Amino acid sequence: DFCEVPGLTVQVDFVADVRVLFNPHGPDGLAYFHANIGFTAAYMHVANGNTVTEVGNVVDKDLRVTDNGDGTLTILVLTTGPAAVYGPDGKAIARNPGQVRFELLVDHGGTPTDPSDDVFLEDLGVVKGSTGRTDDFCAAVVPVLVG
């Protein structure tokens, strides 16, 4: 039921090159996360072999980490970078070049400066919606996959 289409079965092959860095910032030495992610994903409709390919280069980074004083951290994250989906002919059928900001709630495990024991608690939602073009992935790929 890929993209909530009953019976649509899709095989996804995904390859990513991920580089991650944690650095302490500010007087409290809280760890800030920064990742560069290059990826390629091939989506193939199992019944007919139709395929689309998604390619992206994304930067995820913490803009602000706040110690809430109760064993949790609130993290403001920026995700930015181009991503595009290409049809079988190599032409782009969807793009998402913008950026979005959202907040996460994390249990810091009693060590606010050490992210190795952090536990994700909750997605607090979008703080700033996409600043660029944001094509609907499913609306673009389902017609190509189904043929």
PDB file of all heavy atoms in Angstrom, residues 81-102:
ATOM      1  N   GLY A  81      18.368  21.549   1.896  1.00  0.00           N
ATOM      2  CA  GLY A  81      19.105  20.925   0.810  1.00  0.00           C
ATOM      3  C   GLY A  81      18.191  20.427  -0.274  1.00  0.00           C
ATOM      4  O   GLY A  81      17.032  20.120  -0.039  1.00  0.00           O
ATOM      5  N   PRO A  82      18.726  20.332  -1.457  1.00  0.00           N
ATOM      6  CA  PRO A  82      17.893  19.915  -2.574  1.00  0.00           C
ATOM      7  C   PRO A  82      17.646  18.412  -2.597  1.00  0.00           C
ATOM      8  O   PRO A  82      18.509  17.619  -2.241  1.00  0.00           O
ATOM      9  CB  PRO A  82      18.709  20.337  -3.798  1.00  0.00           C
ATOM     10  CG  PRO A  82      20.125  20.261  -3.331  1.00  0.00           C
ATOM     11  CD  PRO A  82      20.085  20.669  -1.872  1.00  0.00           C
ATOM     12  N   ALA A  83      16.449  18.067  -3.013  1.00  0.00           N
ATOM     13  CA  ALA A  83      16.089  16.682  -3.310  1.00  0.00           C
ATOM     14  C   ALA A  83      15.202  16.724  -4.554  1.00  0.00           C
ATOM     15  O   ALA A  83      14.387  17.639  -4.706  1.00  0.00           O
ATOM     16  CB  ALA A  83      15.356  16.029  -2.145  1.00  0.00           C
ATOM     17  N   ALA A  84      15.388  15.759  -5.412  1.00  0.00           N
ATOM     18  CA  ALA A  84      14.583  15.701  -6.636  1.00  0.00           C
ATOM     19  C   ALA A  84      14.272  14.251  -6.965  1.00  0.00           C
ATOM     20  O   ALA A  84      15.042  13.346  -6.640  1.00  0.00           O
ATOM     21  CB  ALA A  84      15.321  16.355  -7.803  1.00  0.00           C
ATOM     22  N   VAL A  85      13.119  14.053  -7.600  1.00  0.00           N
ATOM     23  CA  VAL A  85      12.697  12.724  -8.047  1.00  0.00           C
ATOM     24  C   VAL A  85      12.685  12.744  -9.576  1.00  0.00           C
ATOM     25  O   VAL A  85      12.157  13.675 -10.188  1.00  0.00           O
ATOM     26  CB  VAL A  85      11.302  12.359  -7.504  1.00  0.00           C
ATOM     27  CG1 VAL A  85      10.896  10.971  -7.975  1.00  0.00           C
ATOM     28  CG2 VAL A  85      11.270  12.435  -5.991  1.00  0.00           C
ATOM     29  N   TYR A  86      13.265  11.694 -10.149  1.00  0.00           N
ATOM     30  CA  TYR A  86      13.393  11.599 -11.600  1.00  0.00           C
ATOM     31  C   TYR A  86      12.622  10.400 -12.127  1.00  0.00           C
ATOM     32  O   TYR A  86      12.637   9.330 -11.525  1.00  0.00           O
ATOM     33  CB  TYR A  86      14.870  11.469 -11.997  1.00  0.00           C
ATOM     34  CG  TYR A  86      15.686  12.655 -11.555  1.00  0.00           C
ATOM     35  CD1 TYR A  86      16.334  12.659 -10.323  1.00  0.00           C
ATOM     36  CD2 TYR A  86      15.784  13.785 -12.358  1.00  0.00           C
ATOM     37  CE1 TYR A  86      17.068  13.757  -9.901  1.00  0.00           C
ATOM     38  CE2 TYR A  86      16.516  14.892 -11.945  1.00  0.00           C
ATOM     39  CZ  TYR A  86      17.156  14.872 -10.713  1.00  0.00           C
ATOM     40  OH  TYR A  86      17.869  15.970 -10.298  1.00  0.00           O
ATOM     41  N   GLY A  87      11.948  10.606 -13.256  1.00  0.00           N
ATOM     42  CA  GLY A  87      11.236   9.521 -13.915  1.00  0.00           C
ATOM     43  C   GLY A  87      12.200   8.642 -14.686  1.00  0.00           C
ATOM     44  O   GLY A  87      13.404   8.903 -14.745  1.00  0.00           O
ATOM     45  N   PRO A  88      11.672   7.593 -15.333  1.00  0.00           N
ATOM     46  CA  PRO A  88      12.516   6.654 -16.077  1.00  0.00           C
ATOM     47  C   PRO A  88      13.298   7.315 -17.218  1.00  0.00           C
ATOM     48  O   PRO A  88      14.347   6.826 -17.617  1.00  0.00           O
ATOM     49  CB  PRO A  88      11.537   5.632 -16.634  1.00  0.00           C
ATOM     50  CG  PRO A  88      10.268   5.834 -15.912  1.00  0.00           C
ATOM     51  CD  PRO A  88      10.274   7.210 -15.336  1.00  0.00           C
ATOM     52  N   ASP A  89      12.798   8.450 -17.720  1.00  0.00           N
ATOM     53  CA  ASP A  89      13.486   9.152 -18.814  1.00  0.00           C
ATOM     54  C   ASP A  89      14.576  10.092 -18.316  1.00  0.00           C
ATOM     55  O   ASP A  89      15.224  10.779 -19.105  1.00  0.00           O
ATOM     56  CB  ASP A  89      12.480   9.921 -19.669  1.00  0.00           C
ATOM     57  CG  ASP A  89      11.723  10.985 -18.882  1.00  0.00           C
ATOM     58  OD1 ASP A  89      11.975  11.149 -17.660  1.00  0.00           O
ATOM     59  OD2 ASP A  89      10.868  11.657 -19.474  1.00  0.00           O
ATOM     60  N   GLY A  90      14.772  10.160 -16.982  1.00  0.00           N
ATOM     61  CA  GLY A  90      15.801  11.016 -16.404  1.00  0.00           C
ATOM     62  C   GLY A  90      15.377  12.449 -16.156  1.00  0.00           C
ATOM     63  O   GLY A  90      16.165  13.260 -15.675  1.00  0.00           O
ATOM     64  N   LYS A  91      14.115  12.774 -16.472  1.00  0.00           N
ATOM     65  CA  LYS A  91      13.627  14.137 -16.249  1.00  0.00           C
ATOM     66  C   LYS A  91      13.020  14.247 -14.855  1.00  0.00           C
ATOM     67  O   LYS A  91      12.338  13.333 -14.384  1.00  0.00           O
ATOM     68  CB  LYS A  91      12.590  14.510 -17.312  1.00  0.00           C
ATOM     69  CG  LYS A  91      13.192  14.634 -18.691  1.00  0.00           C
ATOM     70  CD  LYS A  91      12.176  15.105 -19.701  1.00  0.00           C
ATOM     71  CE  LYS A  91      12.842  15.212 -21.068  1.00  0.00           C
ATOM     72  NZ  LYS A  91      11.908  15.606 -22.105  1.00  0.00           N
ATOM     73  N   ALA A  92      13.246  15.395 -14.216  1.00  0.00           N
ATOM     74  CA  ALA A  92      12.716  15.631 -12.874  1.00  0.00           C
ATOM     75  C   ALA A  92      11.193  15.688 -12.905  1.00  0.00           C
ATOM     76  O   ALA A  92      10.606  16.343 -13.769  1.00  0.00           O
ATOM     77  CB  ALA A  92      13.277  16.923 -12.301  1.00  0.00           C
ATOM     78  N   ILE A  93      10.557  14.981 -11.956  1.00  0.00           N
ATOM     79  CA  ILE A  93       9.100  15.014 -11.847  1.00  0.00           C
ATOM     80  C   ILE A  93       8.648  15.646 -10.529  1.00  0.00           C
ATOM     81  O   ILE A  93       7.477  15.943 -10.353  1.00  0.00           O
ATOM     82  CB  ILE A  93       8.481  13.608 -12.006  1.00  0.00           C
ATOM     83  CG1 ILE A  93       9.011  12.639 -10.950  1.00  0.00           C
ATOM     84  CG2 ILE A  93       8.729  13.081 -13.415  1.00  0.00           C
ATOM     85  CD1 ILE A  93       8.309  11.292 -10.936  1.00  0.00           C
ATOM     86  N   ALA A  94       9.582  15.859  -9.586  1.00  0.00           N
ATOM     87  CA  ALA A  94       9.258  16.507  -8.312  1.00  0.00           C
ATOM     88  C   ALA A  94      10.547  17.052  -7.711  1.00  0.00           C
ATOM     89  O   ALA A  94      11.620  16.476  -7.882  1.00  0.00           O
ATOM     90  CB  ALA A  94       8.605  15.520  -7.347  1.00  0.00           C
ATOM     91  N   ARG A  95      10.405  18.160  -7.003  1.00  0.00           N
ATOM     92  CA  ARG A  95      11.568  18.796  -6.367  1.00  0.00           C
ATOM     93  C   ARG A  95      11.201  19.290  -4.973  1.00  0.00           C
ATOM     94  O   ARG A  95      10.050  19.632  -4.706  1.00  0.00           O
ATOM     95  CB  ARG A  95      12.068  19.980  -7.185  1.00  0.00           C
ATOM     96  CG  ARG A  95      12.605  19.587  -8.545  1.00  0.00           C
ATOM     97  CD  ARG A  95      13.239  20.785  -9.235  1.00  0.00           C
ATOM     98  NE  ARG A  95      13.642  20.468 -10.582  1.00  0.00           N
ATOM     99  CZ  ARG A  95      14.786  19.886 -10.915  1.00  0.00           C
ATOM    100  NH1 ARG A  95      15.639  19.550  -9.996  1.00  0.00           N
ATOM    101  NH2 ARG A  95      15.066  19.645 -12.184  1.00  0.00           N
ATOM    102  N   ASN A  96      12.232  19.358  -4.109  1.00  0.00           N
ATOM    103  CA  ASN A  96      12.087  19.940  -2.779  1.00  0.00           C
ATOM    104  C   ASN A  96      13.416  20.583  -2.397  1.00  0.00           C
ATOM    105  O   ASN A  96      14.244  19.974  -1.731  1.00  0.00           O
ATOM    106  CB  ASN A  96      11.690  18.876  -1.754  1.00  0.00           C
ATOM    107  CG  ASN A  96      11.419  19.479  -0.385  1.00  0.00           C
ATOM    108  OD1 ASN A  96      11.645  20.669  -0.158  1.00  0.00           O
ATOM    109  ND2 ASN A  96      10.962  18.670   0.527  1.00  0.00           N
ATOM    110  N   PRO A  97      13.635  21.841  -2.837  1.00  0.00           N
ATOM    111  CA  PRO A  97      14.905  22.501  -2.568  1.00  0.00           C
ATOM    112  C   PRO A  97      14.916  23.357  -1.299  1.00  0.00           C
ATOM    113  O   PRO A  97      15.924  23.977  -0.987  1.00  0.00           O
ATOM    114  CB  PRO A  97      15.083  23.388  -3.798  1.00  0.00           C
ATOM    115  CG  PRO A  97      13.681  23.779  -4.140  1.00  0.00           C
ATOM    116  CD  PRO A  97      12.835  22.570  -3.809  1.00  0.00           C
ATOM    117  N   GLY A  98      13.832  23.429  -0.596  1.00  0.00           N
ATOM    118  CA  GLY A  98      13.721  24.365   0.519  1.00  0.00           C
ATOM    119  C   GLY A  98      14.330  23.888   1.810  1.00  0.00           C
ATOM    120  O   GLY A  98      15.091  22.927   1.871  1.00  0.00           O
ATOM    121  N   GLN A  99      13.981  24.595   2.867  1.00  0.00           N
ATOM    122  CA  GLN A  99      14.422  24.227   4.203  1.00  0.00           C
ATOM    123  C   GLN A  99      13.234  24.253   5.153  1.00  0.00           C
ATOM    124  O   GLN A  99      12.230  24.908   4.881  1.00  0.00           O
ATOM    125  CB  GLN A  99      15.524  25.154   4.701  1.00  0.00           C
ATOM    126  CG  GLN A  99      15.106  26.603   4.847  1.00  0.00           C
ATOM    127  CD  GLN A  99      16.212  27.446   5.457  1.00  0.00           C
ATOM    128  OE1 GLN A  99      16.129  27.781   6.619  1.00  0.00           O
ATOM    129  NE2 GLN A  99      17.209  27.795   4.672  1.00  0.00           N
ATOM    130  N   VAL A 100      13.356  23.512   6.233  1.00  0.00           N
ATOM    131  CA  VAL A 100      12.307  23.452   7.241  1.00  0.00           C
ATOM    132  C   VAL A 100      12.980  23.441   8.607  1.00  0.00           C
ATOM    133  O   VAL A 100      14.112  22.986   8.748  1.00  0.00           O
ATOM    134  CB  VAL A 100      11.405  22.201   7.024  1.00  0.00           C
ATOM    135  CG1 VAL A 100      12.166  20.922   7.220  1.00  0.00           C
ATOM    136  CG2 VAL A 100      10.179  22.245   7.900  1.00  0.00           C
ATOM    137  N   ARG A 101      12.284  23.982   9.610  1.00  0.00           N
ATOM    138  CA  ARG A 101      12.783  23.959  10.985  1.00  0.00           C
ATOM    139  C   ARG A 101      11.737  23.287  11.859  1.00  0.00           C
ATOM    140  O   ARG A 101      10.539  23.554  11.727  1.00  0.00           O
ATOM    141  CB  ARG A 101      13.052  25.374  11.484  1.00  0.00           C
ATOM    142  CG  ARG A 101      14.160  26.042  10.721  1.00  0.00           C
ATOM    143  CD  ARG A 101      14.387  27.455  11.165  1.00  0.00           C
ATOM    144  NE  ARG A 101      15.322  28.084  10.241  1.00  0.00           N
ATOM    145  CZ  ARG A 101      15.908  29.238  10.435  1.00  0.00           C
ATOM    146  NH1 ARG A 101      15.651  29.919  11.532  1.00  0.00           N
ATOM    147  NH2 ARG A 101      16.740  29.722   9.551  1.00  0.00           N
ATOM    148  N   PHE A 102      12.211  22.419  12.761  1.00  0.00           N
ATOM    149  CA  PHE A 102      11.306  21.707  13.659  1.00  0.00           C
ATOM    150  C   PHE A 102      11.996  21.501  14.998  1.00  0.00           C
ATOM    151  O   PHE A 102      13.214  21.655  15.113  1.00  0.00           O
ATOM    152  CB  PHE A 102      10.860  20.378  13.051  1.00  0.00           C
ATOM    153  CG  PHE A 102      11.988  19.457  12.689  1.00  0.00           C
ATOM    154  CD1 PHE A 102      12.444  18.494  13.578  1.00  0.00           C
ATOM    155  CD2 PHE A 102      12.612  19.555  11.453  1.00  0.00           C
ATOM    156  CE1 PHE A 102      13.493  17.657  13.250  1.00  0.00           C
ATOM    157  CE2 PHE A 102      13.660  18.716  11.112  1.00  0.00           C
ATOM    158  CZ  PHE A 102      14.098  17.762  12.014  1.00  0.00           C
TER     159      PHE A 102
END
